[in-house]
Amino acid sequence: MTDEQTIPAAGAGGRAAANAGLQASLRVLAVSVGPLVAALVLGGLLLLAMGFNPFSYYGYVIQRALFSPSGFEATLTRMGPLLLIAASLIVAFRAGLWNLGGDGQYLLAAVFVAATVPLTLGVLPVWANLLLGLLIGAAVGALWSLLPALLKAWQGINEIITTLMMSFLGVSLANVLVKLAFLDPGTTTPQTRTLPVEARLPRLFDSSVSSGLLIGLAAVIVVHLVMTRTAFGMRLRLVGANPRAAVHAGLSVPALTIAVFAISAALAGLSGAVDILGTHGNVRADWNPAYSLTVVPLVFLARLNGFGSIAYVFLFSALTIGGESAARRIGVPSFFSLVIVAILLIMLGLAEYLDKRHQERARR
């Protein structure tokens, strides 16, 4: 083949590769953004069927969450614990494991932090007290995942079942502790002792935004880099993707399985600690924000990418903060934002199914 023939052939190959890359990027974008757009449209149609103006609802959401100073600060503050939950899920899902017990790990950690940190307030400096609270939250979350981790590592028992069961037990135990062992005797409302505002996590830039936001951002970025750029992250991914190959490579699958659960649950527990130390200051009986299962579709929409998860967590935080304002103004039920999340989960599953069918047809 002459040089004149080789150059056009190389150019054609380059264009084909570029087109293939563009198509792959568009496919990922459609699977990631498409379900979100479809959920917002279907949510608007549902509002219309209920007799509400969807443009008014979404307008109030945007105005409150993004253009109101107090609302925007509330949106950023709520992102802190949600980002830690996202980091927790990314660790587990990238390792091929399902830690669906985040709600129990989060709430138990929040209760123990709320009960213990006020007791050591006069003994330790504020910074040491806050650090202790963060460590307690991470430790409680990790310990609560120990049983599902051991059952998965040594008996091969499905972790979806065990983590969900432990989550139910954790939420119930947390409520019992608030009403009995950790009850604040100085209040009539069943709750733990309240951490004073001045003893909580510092605010950012003279605003009401908790520095828990920085902890959440740092956790997601570190988790993303560790899972995608380090040898340890590669070992964790190999354990979930192909345990037999991991054994042949000389890796201890049980030890790495326990490590995945411990790291994931510790981040979920740290989320509970950040929420208490940064925002709430105490835990009331029967309180459960149920963040973990809500963040699952957001992480999958981001394709388990840490930076994409930050964007989706921001959108969800804006939706929930703005949705509370819209509920008060136009009478929409306050839980309607969760309805949109449920629709989003259905759309995500449908998008994954259609994408898989498309790839199967492309291979034929």
Side-chain angles (χ1 to χ4, degrees), residues 235 238-240 242-253 256:
R235 288 196 290 269
L238 182 59
V239 167
N242 195 332
R244 291 185 178 180
V247 171
H248 287 301
L251 301 179
S252 174
V253 174
L256 289 173

Side-chain angles (χ1 to χ4, degrees), residues 13-287:
R15 287 193 297 271
N19 289 334
L22 178 61
Q23 290 178 1
S25 298
L26 291 175
R27 180 181 63 82
V28 171
L29 184 64
V31 175
S32 299
V33 179
L36 176 63
V37 175
L40 293 175
V41 171
L42 290 175
L45 294 176
L46 185 58
L47 285 169
L48 200 60
M50 294 166 59
F52 299 104
N53 186 336
F55 295 104
S56 297
Y57 177 80
Y58 289 131
Y60 281 130
V61 168
I62 294 172
Q63 191 278 330
R64 167 64 178 167
L66 302 182
F67 297 107
S68 165
S70 61
F72 185 65
E73 291 174 4
T75 297
L76 295 179
T77 296
R78 183 162 294 183
M79 285 181 66
L82 292 177
L83 287 171
L84 285 162
I85 292 291
S88 165
L89 295 172
I90 289 172
V91 169
F93 293 160
R94 277 193 174 273
L97 298 171
W98 290 78
N99 176 22
L100 299 183
D103 288 334
Q105 295 152 11
Y106 164 95
L107 196 57
L108 266 181
V111 168
F112 273 92
V113 169
T116 56
V117 171
L119 299 178
T120 57
L121 186 57
V123 180
L124 298 174
V126 172
W127 67 268
N129 208 40
L130 291 172
L131 180 59
L132 175 64
L134 296 175
L135 292 175
I136 289 173
V140 170
L143 287 173
W144 197 247
S145 73
L146 185 59
L147 181 58
L150 292 175
L151 290 175
K152 176 66 177 180
W154 299 108
Q155 301 297 326
I157 297 177
N158 191 310
E159 73 274 15
I160 297 177
I161 298 173
T162 55
T163 54
L164 284 174
M165 290 177 62
M166 291 298 290
S167 183
F168 174 78
L169 290 174
V171 171
S172 301
L173 176 59
N175 285 321
V176 170
L177 291 174
V178 171
K179 295 176 181 178
L180 297 177
F182 297 153
L183 180 66
D184 182 3
T187 62
T188 56
T189 303
Q191 64 180 42
T192 63
R193 289 178 173 84
T194 301
L195 186 67
V197 174
E198 61 272 13
R200 300 179 191 178
L201 289 172
R203 306 296 178 178
L204 299 178
F205 310 114
D206 295 325
S207 69
S208 64
V209 179
S210 169
S211 54
L213 172 65
L214 298 183
I215 298 175
L217 288 171
V220 170
I221 293 172
V222 169
V223 161
H224 177 82
L225 295 177
V226 168
M227 296 301 292
T228 59
R229 305 289 179 84
T230 68
F232 178 67
M234 184 186 68
R235 288 196 290 269
L236 295 184
R237 296 199 312 272
L238 182 59
V239 167
N242 195 332
R244 291 185 178 180
V247 171
H248 287 301
L251 301 179
S252 174
V253 174
L256 289 173
T257 298
I258 294 172
V260 169
F261 274 102
I263 296 170
S264 176
L267 288 167
L270 188 60
S271 173
V274 164
D275 219 4
I276 297 305
L277 299 176
T279 307
H280 298 289
N282 63 31
V283 176
R284 294 191 174 189
D286 302 318
W287 174 73

Side-chain angles (χ1 to χ4, degrees), residues 307-331:
F307 298 101
S309 297
I310 293 173
Y312 277 107
V313 165
F314 173 74
L315 289 174
F316 175 73
S317 299
L319 178 63
T320 53
I321 294 296
E324 293 168 2
S325 176
R328 290 191 297 267
R329 291 196 180 191
I330 64 177

